[in-house]
Amino acid sequence: MSSKRVKVAVVGGTGYTGVECLRLLVNHPNVEIVVVTSRSEAGQPVSDMYPNLRGHLDLAFSEPTVEILAAADVVFFATPNGTAMKMVPALLEAGMRVIDLAADFRIKDIALWQQWYGMEHACPELVEEAVYGLPEVNREATRTARLVANPGCYPTACQLGFLPLIENGLAATDSLIADVKSGVSGAGRQASVGTLLCEVTESMRAYAVDGHRHLPEVKQGLAIAARGEVSLTFVPHLTPMIRGIHATLYANVNDHGADLQALYEARYKDEPFVDVLPEGTLPETRSVKGSNMCRIGLVRPQGQDVVVVLSVIDNLVKGAAGQALHNMNIMFGLDERSGLNSVALMP
Amino acid sequence: MSSKRVKVAVVGGTGYTGVECLRLLVNHPNVEIVVVTSRSEAGQPVSDMYPNLRGHLDLAFSEPTVEILAAADVVFFATPNGTAMKMVPALLEAGMRVIDLAADFRIKDIALWQQWYGMEHACPELVEEAVYGLPEVNREATRTARLVANPGCYPTACQLGFLPLIENGLAATDSLIADVKSGVSGAGRQASVGTLLCEVTESMRAYAVDGHRHLPEVKQGLAIAARGEVSLTFVPHLTPMIRGIHATLYANVNDHGADLQALYEARYKDEPFVDVLPEGTLPETRSVKGSNMCRIGLVRPQGQDVVVVLSVIDNLVKGAAGQALHNMNIMFGLDERSGLNSVALMP
Amino acid sequence: MSSKRVKVAVVGGTGYTGVECLRLLVNHPNVEIVVVTSRSEAGQPVSDMYPNLRGHLDLAFSEPTVEILAAADVVFFATPNGTAMKMVPALLEAGMRVIDLAADFRIKDIALWQQWYGMEHACPELVEEAVYGLPEVNREATRTARLVANPGCYPTACQLGFLPLIENGLAATDSLIADVKSGVSGAGRQASVGTLLCEVTESMRAYAVDGHRHLPEVKQGLAIAARGEVSLTFVPHLTPMIRGIHATLYANVNDHGADLQALYEARYKDEPFVDVLPEGTLPETRSVKGSNMCRIGLVRPQGQDVVVVLSVIDNLVKGAAGQALHNMNIMFGLDERSGLNSVALMP
Amino acid sequence: MSSKRVKVAVVGGTGYTGVECLRLLVNHPNVEIVVVTSRSEAGQPVSDMYPNLRGHLDLAFSEPTVEILAAADVVFFATPNGTAMKMVPALLEAGMRVIDLAADFRIKDIALWQQWYGMEHACPELVEEAVYGLPEVNREATRTARLVANPGCYPTACQLGFLPLIENGLAATDSLIADVKSGVSGAGRQASVGTLLCEVTESMRAYAVDGHRHLPEVKQGLAIAARGEVSLTFVPHLTPMIRGIHATLYANVNDHGADLQALYEARYKDEPFVDVLPEGTLPETRSVKGSNMCRIGLVRPQGQDVVVVLSVIDNLVKGAAGQALHNMNIMFGLDERSGLNSVALMP
């Protein structure tokens, strides 16, 4: 086991992605958490807010200043969209590396980003440099990255599900459909009527059907793989559970003789966090609850031209905090599995 | 209010559709429940098994014999597939009318039925006569029917969602997709590991992707509307809640100028149990929990060619027991809303 | 069926008890809803906020003014504590009758009320007149009441469970324990982190152990029955479900030979909404979900001196809106069961 | 880190406690899993049944024979009651050590055990030797034990909550009450109607009020601490969640001046898996979900004589598999925290 120690700061430690970073980082053998910030909770012990961390983390929340964050080798931003971009230039200049778990650096087309996120970008000059941190695509670039844009939860599940098809030109890219279902933790920890237990449990509903911010992110990733534009219908649903994304992906297959199962297995055989299930096996989100794994199943119903790809992740782990640790492991030359070997909680 | 009294028997009163029939029937102003059968529980008071019926129903389970059932004007079969077909010929001959909530009489093509249900049909000669009891399509034939095949839960949600498009030739029928999500009560009340709380709560999964028995039923209904074959990809999902179906339907629109919202509103304006939501409003399953309503929302994301239709029902009501009562109301000339006016439980 | 029509106004129609009043009132055969108020939503159709009411209620929210409310015979207050007391004097003066579902008129001891509710009472002179609307205790006084204080949810379940023991002097009143569990809807529909699905589902916790506002209310009711002070330890718990209260009550029995089962059955034999289960049968909250029933079971474990009483209600129905309708039925000489005959949703 | 390797066999690897043992053992740094048995699934890869173990455990189920188990240093029995006692004599004779997660060796009074478990004990001569594996009580005896009786889930939560009071003679032992709430996983993975999602979600109910098998186990432990008989009323409840036990314990305090908070903190200050929360803080079960921690809060409501102790554990971890690993760590001289340092999943 490497004896290297990486000093980590987490900005925005009070939200669900923040505490999930902490849950994973406290047991990472090569990490020392040096700072956790929260403007509103500065001074309060972190474990007062999150009692699961009692005995694991003995830090109080700090103010998020460059001076305080300078104690870290790498800064995780687990903040709302639009926060990281205001601090990143100063942090990079001060020599730190940054992993942004929000969306500030995910979209290369600045105008498109501004349209979907409804604000002006504070440091457009850094967007090009930022590495889109989907390790299964950008592992090499990540090793030396100063700034990693950690992918969104839906985009992680959708891209991993579609990529082998698209990279190999095996699917029609003008009629892709992603019917995606998410647990409620994806909506964050803000006080809001819409995510009260009494409003969302024992119910299912679609939302943002006319346009969700993750749509341009998925399209960007698929377009790179396809080397050309793709058309995607993307319908998210709110599912009555805490964690989990189930992406049900539909594509029309071009080459009817292709062995898609073998193709998927080959594409991901060296990936530590993508598990292609045996033929005929369908994934369930609980099989990745609390873990960094993405599990994928494939079916071509009745041997028709439509292939259905089922891709499941834990939105807070592979879709957020776990993928951020994975990126950190790559950036700092650590074992990629370090801190990420826990088994999904089942049942 | 009509003073007519219909005498009703429920065969198979111990399952979820059976008790749901009873829940609705006990408050129907024109119904007298005369017999509830269960071979395994014969002699036991019904309300011992279902305490919600205490004070509402003072009957014990009976054996399911033709003699005992002869006390009824109409017999509801809330039995496993393959049960009703064995008794229906004798009941019809004895002058009773029958509503089968299972699948025995839903598929007109006997060979196709036998292939999907894995058994020989016991009375194929009655299949042609049976009226497929989707009131929004077959109301007139139902009035005089001796035998009604009550539709399946998924087929109800899918057909009501697709019909206005298909009937008007506005969608490509060679690439329909139905991504459907169901609560766990659809799996019934059998002891089984797969539907234990610990196996299905806090999780989401697809099942029967390669072929679900409701697929041929939906295709039959859509083919009639289309006056020709349709191609449909149908992917069911098990959702961690008791009740509710959320059908997310995808179709390619032929006529880009069509006012689909107006079309749907017109199609269903006189239907008591189909509610087309205002433009931009998306349905949630809890808005129909315990009620016989189907609520439908329509979106054409970013104005593209794909229309997304969202159709929600309570699988035990509009998808089973409530629709059976609706059919009974039609068969016996009662107010169609009778016994079905309760408001969904929300929250 | 009586052809009498009672004109009802609901003040505060946007919270969970408000919409539950509406759910029940729209199907009450002797009720016309004339006004629903909400200061914040005035002008908006009620069914836009609660789509389950679409097709059942065609009213928009109004401002809560005495002039507007004057259209009603009776006004239901489904408002936060401290709201009703500001309007009630004017409404009574204008000849209306009032049912307050909040706590303003429940506690006869004004100082005690002010201590627990942390505000000054706006019309202490009306507290004495107000009838505490537990029909099983105060039916006669309710018939002619101008002002009914509808009991709290926990107090309803606890009093109905303890009363037969206490009224008959069969239990030690110096060591009563109520371990009570409530669904999350008891916390209302306010935006709040503490009742987000992700904070409360898949978890169980006690709260307000050091003192809950329902404690003095329960003690007042039991003291009246005991004709003397009682000592009660009252521990509420937040349970991961929408609806339901399960009160587990512990008392030391004085008379070891008493037939408690017979005593409970006799006490409630004429009560339409209290169901004493057969000996050995334990209630579950789902058996009253959506219904106005209270179901009670009794056990004396291993024949010891401690009797355990299990009392379940739906907190939004028998613990709030349903009990309010019951009181209205009594006040206006209607059949007590009117509008309250629906069967619990099970499953 | 110790380089010692303990070879572990798990008998009965298909139930919830079995798979939970595997989930924890695969990441234990000093463990090698050598055998997992299941008579019914022999030959099938373990990870086919539990996909969360894919990539973590590459073993197939074996038949449970002494010869096959002889590869292990220690055998975990995660079997139904009555199974371990049939194999344990042969295993001990063959030199293995045994941890029984079922109840076969928990009760010292053989007649009492036979009365509650309804079978004859197969090796009563070993019951006296067996160490009751509550480490907070029997750590020393466990170090050298050949046979450990791992405590039940309710008994763990109840004893840890009551012990400081009882050991110090601070509570009346003739009127103890334990109102305990458990998630559904406590009922195991057997196909059964009673634990179907549709039967238990959105509901709360007590069960086995007249007598639960964990009652004599708790009483035995408390009697040892009290050096005399204790009287306990014990009421278990089924709570709609997968994991978690919340014990709400009531006791009458003898010494009104005692500083109970300080007493509890002192009692457990060196215990790695008992966390006494700061005064005024109440535990929630999710704060221990997936972890081996027991968290305890104390309240004396309104300063009265009754103390309310709130004790929460994860029934599958501290209440079963985690405690078994803790016992194994003690038996083999490993760091007690080894393999048990994961943080509860929150949210």
Side-chain angles (χ1 to χ4, degrees):
Chain A
M1 183 180 299
S2 164
S3 63
K4 192 186 293 189
R5 300 287 283 182
V6 178
K7 292 178 180 166
V8 177
V10 176
V11 178
T14 63
Y16 290 146
T17 54
V19 68
E20 190 71 358
C21 287
L22 297 175
R23 181 179 75 85
L24 297 169
L25 287 167
V26 296
N27 277 324
H28 193 299
N30 309 105
V31 159
E32 182 187 354
I33 303 176
V34 293
V35 180
V36 183
T37 82
S38 163
R39 209 177 293 275
S40 61
E41 308 291 334
Q44 191 196 0
V46 175
S47 63
D48 278 11
M49 175 167 277
Y50 287 108
N52 57 336
L53 294 171
R54 284 174 58 88
H56 293 279
L57 181 67
D58 189 21
L59 273 182
F61 289 111
S62 307
E63 292 283 344
T65 68
V66 175
E67 291 67 34
I68 290 172
L69 294 171
D73 299 313
V74 59
V75 179
F76 286 56
F77 277 88
T79 43
N81 298 319
T83 303
M85 67 185 181
K86 291 180 191 145
M87 297 187 66
V88 162
L91 294 174
L92 295 185
E93 185 148 354
M96 281 160 272
R97 298 169 86 178
V98 171
I99 300 173
D100 179 24
L101 285 85
D104 297 9
F105 300 97
R106 291 179 191 157
I107 306 284
K108 296 298 180 189
D109 180 332
I110 307 285
L112 187 69
W113 186 88
Q114 295 185 155
Q115 170 197 327
W116 282 91
Y117 287 87
M119 52 184 119
E120 198 172 350
H121 205 290
C123 55
E125 69 284 2
L126 288 174
V127 172
E128 187 53 39
E129 176 187 342
V131 174
Y132 184 73
L134 192 65
E136 293 77 8
V137 173
N138 290 326
R139 177 176 275 109
E140 288 314 311
T142 300
R143 296 196 199 283
T144 55
R146 291 197 304 168
L147 173 57
V148 167
N150 212 56
C153 51
Y154 286 132
T156 296
C158 290
Q159 290 177 81
L160 293 176
F162 272 134
L163 279 176
L165 282 177
I166 305 291
E167 289 172 346
N168 292 281
L170 290 172
T173 54
D174 63 345
S175 58
L176 301 170
I177 289 178
D179 187 291
V180 292
K181 299 91 176 165
S182 175
V184 181
S185 61
R189 195 172 172 271
Q190 290 71 41
S192 117
V193 169
T195 50
L196 295 177
L197 178 131
C198 294
E199 299 290 309
V200 289
T201 201
E202 289 294 310
S203 193
M204 183 79 186
R205 66 176 170 91
Y207 67 100
V209 180
D210 197 40
H212 185 284
R213 287 169 171 182
H214 285 174
L215 171 62
E217 184 182 339
V218 180
K219 287 179 72 174
Q220 171 182 279
L222 298 184
I224 292 169
R227 296 183 205 88
E229 282 301 290
V230 303
S231 173
L232 172 68
T233 302
F234 179 83
V235 178
H237 299 74
L238 197 61
T239 308
M241 58 188 185
I242 301 175
R243 289 165 181 253
I245 282 181
H246 188 292
T248 313
L249 310 174
Y250 300 85
N252 285 295
V253 177
N254 289 331
D255 175 355
H256 303 189
D259 182 344
L260 300 182
Q261 178 73 26
L263 177 81
Y264 272 68
E265 290 179 1
R267 173 62 175 84
Y268 292 124
K269 80 174 155 36
D270 295 328
E271 286 299 340
F273 299 117
V274 182
D275 176 26
V276 179
L277 297 177
E279 195 142 18
T281 307
L282 307 179
E284 47 188 337
T285 63
R286 68 182 186 131
S287 78
V288 298
K289 188 167 54 181
S291 100
N292 197 47
M293 200 62 69
C294 172
R295 298 196 204 275
I296 294 177
L298 293 173
V299 184
R300 209 187 296 186
Q302 290 103 45
Q304 305 280 304
D305 294 355
V306 177
V307 60
V308 181
V309 184
L310 311 162
S311 167
V312 304
I313 62 170
D314 182 324
N315 55 303
L316 293 180
V317 191
K318 181 64 175 167
Q323 190 143 266
L325 262 78
H326 189 187
N327 281 316
M328 178 195 71
N329 286 344
I330 295 170
M331 292 163 82
F332 288 87
L334 303 170
D335 179 342
E336 291 195 21
R337 286 177 173 84
S338 234
L340 295 170
N341 62 345
S342 70
V343 180
L345 214 60
M346 189 176 171
Chain B
M1 184 180 301
S2 164
S3 62
K4 192 188 295 189
R5 299 288 283 183
V6 178
K7 292 178 179 167
V8 177
V10 176
V11 178
T14 65
Y16 289 146
T17 54
V19 68
E20 190 71 358
C21 287
L22 297 175
R23 181 180 74 86
L24 298 169
L25 288 166
V26 295
N27 277 324
H28 192 300
N30 309 104
V31 159
E32 181 187 354
I33 304 175
V34 292
V35 180
V36 183
T37 81
S38 163
R39 210 176 292 274
S40 61
E41 309 290 335
Q44 189 195 4
V46 174
S47 64
D48 279 11
M49 174 166 279
Y50 286 109
N52 58 335
L53 294 171
R54 284 173 59 86
H56 292 280
L57 181 66
D58 189 20
L59 273 183
F61 290 110
S62 306
E63 292 283 345
T65 67
V66 175
E67 292 66 34
I68 291 173
L69 294 171
D73 300 312
V74 60
V75 179
F76 285 57
F77 277 87
T79 44
N81 298 319
T83 304
M85 66 185 183
K86 292 179 191 144
M87 298 187 66
V88 162
L91 294 174
L92 295 185
E93 185 148 354
M96 281 160 271
R97 299 169 85 177
V98 171
I99 301 172
D100 179 24
L101 286 84
D104 296 10
F105 300 96
R106 291 180 191 157
I107 305 285
K108 295 300 178 186
D109 180 333
I110 307 284
L112 187 69
W113 186 88
Q114 295 187 154
Q115 169 197 327
W116 282 91
Y117 288 88
M119 51 183 120
E120 198 171 351
H121 204 289
C123 54
E125 70 284 1
L126 288 175
V127 172
E128 187 53 37
E129 175 187 342
V131 173
Y132 184 73
L134 192 65
E136 293 77 7
V137 173
N138 290 327
R139 177 176 275 110
E140 288 314 310
T142 301
R143 294 194 201 285
T144 54
R146 290 197 304 167
L147 172 57
V148 167
N150 211 56
C153 51
Y154 286 131
T156 296
C158 290
Q159 290 177 82
L160 293 176
F162 271 133
L163 279 176
L165 281 178
I166 305 291
E167 289 170 345
N168 291 282
L170 289 172
T173 54
D174 63 347
S175 58
L176 301 170
I177 289 178
D179 187 292
V180 292
K181 298 93 176 166
S182 175
V184 181
S185 60
R189 196 172 170 272
Q190 290 71 42
S192 116
V193 170
T195 50
L196 295 177
L197 177 131
C198 294
E199 300 290 309
V200 290
T201 200
E202 290 292 311
S203 193
M204 183 79 188
R205 66 177 171 91
Y207 67 100
V209 181
D210 197 41
H212 184 285
R213 287 168 170 181
H214 285 174
L215 171 60
E217 183 181 340
V218 180
K219 287 179 72 172
Q220 170 181 281
L222 298 184
I224 292 168
R227 297 183 204 87
E229 281 302 290
V230 304
S231 172
L232 172 69
T233 302
F234 179 83
V235 178
H237 299 74
L238 196 60
T239 307
M241 57 188 188
I242 301 175
R243 289 166 180 252
I245 282 181
H246 188 292
T248 312
L249 310 174
Y250 300 86
N252 286 296
V253 177
N254 289 330
D255 174 354
H256 301 187
D259 181 344
L260 300 183
Q261 178 72 25
L263 177 83
Y264 272 69
E265 290 178 3
R267 173 62 176 84
Y268 292 124
K269 78 176 159 34
D270 294 329
E271 286 299 339
F273 299 117
V274 182
D275 176 26
V276 179
L277 297 177
E279 195 142 20
T281 306
L282 307 179
E284 47 189 336
T285 62
R286 68 182 185 133
S287 78
V288 298
K289 186 166 56 181
S291 101
N292 197 47
M293 200 63 68
C294 171
R295 299 197 203 275
I296 293 177
L298 291 173
V299 184
R300 208 187 298 184
Q302 290 103 44
Q304 305 279 302
D305 294 355
V306 177
V307 61
V308 181
V309 183
L310 311 160
S311 167
V312 304
I313 61 170
D314 182 323
N315 54 304
L316 294 180
V317 190
K318 180 64 176 167
Q323 191 144 267
L325 262 78
H326 189 186
N327 281 317
M328 176 194 72
N329 287 342
I330 295 170
M331 291 163 81
F332 288 87
L334 303 169
D335 179 342
E336 290 195 23
R337 286 177 174 84
S338 232
L340 295 170
N341 63 345
S342 71
V343 180
L345 214 59
M346 189 176 172
Chain C
M1 182 179 302
S2 163
S3 63
K4 192 187 292 189
R5 300 287 284 182
V6 179
K7 291 179 181 168
V8 178
V10 176
V11 178
T14 65
Y16 290 146
T17 52
V19 68
E20 190 71 357
C21 286
L22 297 175
R23 180 179 76 85
L24 297 169
L25 288 166
V26 295
N27 277 325
H28 192 301
N30 308 105
V31 159
E32 181 186 354
I33 302 175
V34 293
V35 179
V36 183
T37 81
S38 163
R39 210 177 292 274
S40 61
E41 308 292 334
Q44 192 196 359
V46 175
S47 64
D48 278 10
M49 174 167 278
Y50 288 108
N52 58 334
L53 294 171
R54 284 174 59 87
H56 293 279
L57 182 66
D58 189 22
L59 272 181
F61 289 111
S62 306
E63 291 283 345
T65 67
V66 175
E67 292 67 33
I68 290 172
L69 295 171
D73 299 313
V74 60
V75 179
F76 285 57
F77 277 87
T79 43
N81 298 319
T83 303
M85 65 185 183
K86 292 180 190 143
M87 298 186 68
V88 162
L91 294 174
L92 295 185
E93 185 149 354
M96 281 159 271
R97 298 168 87 177
V98 171
I99 301 172
D100 179 24
L101 286 84
D104 296 9
F105 300 96
R106 291 179 191 158
I107 306 284
K108 295 299 181 188
D109 180 333
I110 307 285
L112 187 69
W113 186 88
Q114 294 185 156
Q115 170 197 328
W116 282 91
Y117 288 88
M119 52 184 119
E120 198 171 352
H121 204 290
C123 53
E125 70 283 2
L126 289 174
V127 171
E128 187 53 39
E129 176 188 342
V131 174
Y132 184 72
L134 193 64
E136 293 78 6
V137 174
N138 290 326
R139 177 177 275 109
E140 288 314 310
T142 300
R143 294 194 201 286
T144 55
R146 290 197 304 168
L147 172 58
V148 167
N150 211 58
C153 50
Y154 287 131
T156 296
C158 290
Q159 290 177 84
L160 293 176
F162 272 134
L163 280 175
L165 281 177
I166 305 291
E167 290 170 346
N168 292 282
L170 291 171
T173 55
D174 63 346
S175 59
L176 301 171
I177 289 178
D179 187 292
V180 291
K181 299 91 176 165
S182 174
V184 181
S185 60
R189 195 173 173 270
Q190 290 71 41
S192 117
V193 170
T195 49
L196 295 177
L197 178 132
C198 294
E199 299 290 310
V200 290
T201 200
E202 291 293 311
S203 193
M204 183 79 185
R205 66 177 171 91
Y207 67 100
V209 180
D210 196 43
H212 185 284
R213 288 170 169 179
H214 285 173
L215 171 62
E217 183 180 341
V218 181
K219 287 179 73 171
Q220 170 182 279
L222 298 184
I224 293 169
R227 295 184 206 85
E229 281 302 288
V230 304
S231 173
L232 172 68
T233 302
F234 179 83
V235 178
H237 299 74
L238 197 60
T239 307
M241 58 188 187
I242 300 175
R243 289 166 180 252
I245 282 181
H246 188 292
T248 313
L249 310 174
Y250 301 87
N252 285 296
V253 177
N254 289 329
D255 175 355
H256 301 189
D259 182 344
L260 300 183
Q261 178 73 26
L263 177 82
Y264 272 69
E265 289 179 3
R267 173 62 175 85
Y268 292 125
K269 78 175 159 34
D270 295 329
E271 286 299 339
F273 299 117
V274 182
D275 175 26
V276 179
L277 298 177
E279 196 143 17
T281 307
L282 306 179
E284 48 189 336
T285 62
R286 68 183 185 131
S287 78
V288 298
K289 188 166 56 182
S291 100
N292 196 48
M293 200 63 68
C294 172
R295 298 197 203 274
I296 293 178
L298 292 174
V299 184
R300 210 187 298 184
Q302 289 103 46
Q304 304 280 303
D305 294 355
V306 177
V307 61
V308 181
V309 183
L310 313 161
S311 167
V312 304
I313 61 169
D314 182 324
N315 54 304
L316 295 180
V317 191
K318 180 64 175 166
Q323 191 143 266
L325 261 78
H326 188 185
N327 280 317
M328 178 195 71
N329 287 342
I330 296 170
M331 291 164 83
F332 289 87
L334 303 169
D335 180 341
E336 290 194 23
R337 287 177 173 84
S338 232
L340 295 169
N341 62 345
S342 70
V343 179
L345 214 60
M346 190 176 170
Chain D
M1 184 180 300
S2 164
S3 63
K4 191 187 295 190
R5 300 287 283 184
V6 178
K7 291 179 180 168
V8 177
V10 177
V11 178
T14 64
Y16 289 147
T17 53
V19 68
E20 190 71 356
C21 287
L22 297 175
R23 181 180 75 85
L24 297 169
L25 288 167
V26 295
N27 277 325
H28 192 300
N30 309 105
V31 160
E32 182 186 352
I33 303 175
V34 292
V35 179
V36 183
T37 81
S38 163
R39 210 177 292 276
S40 60
E41 307 292 333
Q44 191 196 359
V46 174
S47 63
D48 278 11
M49 175 167 277
Y50 288 109
N52 58 335
L53 294 171
R54 285 174 58 86
H56 293 279
L57 182 65
D58 189 20
L59 274 181
F61 289 111
S62 306
E63 292 282 345
T65 68
V66 176
E67 292 67 34
I68 290 172
L69 294 171
D73 299 312
V74 59
V75 179
F76 286 58
F77 276 88
T79 44
N81 297 320
T83 303
M85 64 185 183
K86 291 181 190 142
M87 297 188 67
V88 162
L91 293 175
L92 295 184
E93 185 149 355
M96 282 161 269
R97 298 170 85 179
V98 171
I99 300 172
D100 179 24
L101 286 85
D104 296 9
F105 301 95
R106 291 180 191 157
I107 306 283
K108 296 298 179 189
D109 180 333
I110 307 285
L112 187 68
W113 187 87
Q114 294 185 156
Q115 170 197 328
W116 282 92
Y117 288 88
M119 52 183 119
E120 198 172 350
H121 205 290
C123 54
E125 69 284 2
L126 289 175
V127 171
E128 187 52 39
E129 174 187 342
V131 174
Y132 184 72
L134 192 64
E136 293 77 7
V137 174
N138 290 327
R139 176 177 277 110
E140 288 314 310
T142 300
R143 294 195 201 286
T144 55
R146 290 197 304 168
L147 173 57
V148 167
N150 211 57
C153 50
Y154 286 132
T156 296
C158 290
Q159 289 177 84
L160 293 177
F162 271 133
L163 279 177
L165 282 178
I166 305 291
E167 289 171 346
N168 291 282
L170 291 171
T173 55
D174 64 346
S175 58
L176 302 171
I177 290 179
D179 187 291
V180 292
K181 299 90 175 167
S182 174
V184 181
S185 60
R189 195 172 172 270
Q190 291 70 42
S192 116
V193 170
T195 51
L196 295 177
L197 177 130
C198 294
E199 298 291 309
V200 289
T201 201
E202 290 293 309
S203 192
M204 183 79 186
R205 65 178 171 91
Y207 67 100
V209 180
D210 196 41
H212 185 283
R213 288 168 169 182
H214 285 175
L215 171 61
E217 183 181 341
V218 180
K219 287 179 72 173
Q220 171 182 277
L222 298 184
I224 293 168
R227 296 184 204 87
E229 281 302 289
V230 304
S231 172
L232 172 68
T233 302
F234 178 84
V235 178
H237 299 75
L238 196 61
T239 308
M241 58 188 186
I242 300 174
R243 290 166 180 253
I245 282 181
H246 188 292
T248 312
L249 309 174
Y250 301 86
N252 285 296
V253 176
N254 289 330
D255 175 355
H256 301 190
D259 182 344
L260 300 182
Q261 178 73 25
L263 176 82
Y264 273 69
E265 289 178 3
R267 173 61 176 86
Y268 292 125
K269 76 175 158 34
D270 295 327
E271 286 299 340
F273 299 117
V274 182
D275 176 27
V276 179
L277 297 177
E279 195 143 18
T281 307
L282 307 179
E284 46 189 336
T285 62
R286 67 181 186 131
S287 78
V288 298
K289 187 166 56 181
S291 101
N292 197 47
M293 199 63 68
C294 172
R295 297 195 204 276
I296 294 176
L298 294 173
V299 184
R300 208 187 297 183
Q302 289 104 47
Q304 304 280 303
D305 294 355
V306 176
V307 61
V308 181
V309 184
L310 311 162
S311 167
V312 303
I313 61 170
D314 182 325
N315 55 304
L316 294 179
V317 191
K318 181 65 175 164
Q323 191 144 266
L325 262 78
H326 189 187
N327 281 317
M328 177 195 72
N329 287 343
I330 294 170
M331 292 163 82
F332 288 87
L334 303 170
D335 179 342
E336 291 195 22
R337 286 177 173 86
S338 234
L340 295 170
N341 62 346
S342 71
V343 180
L345 213 60
M346 189 175 170

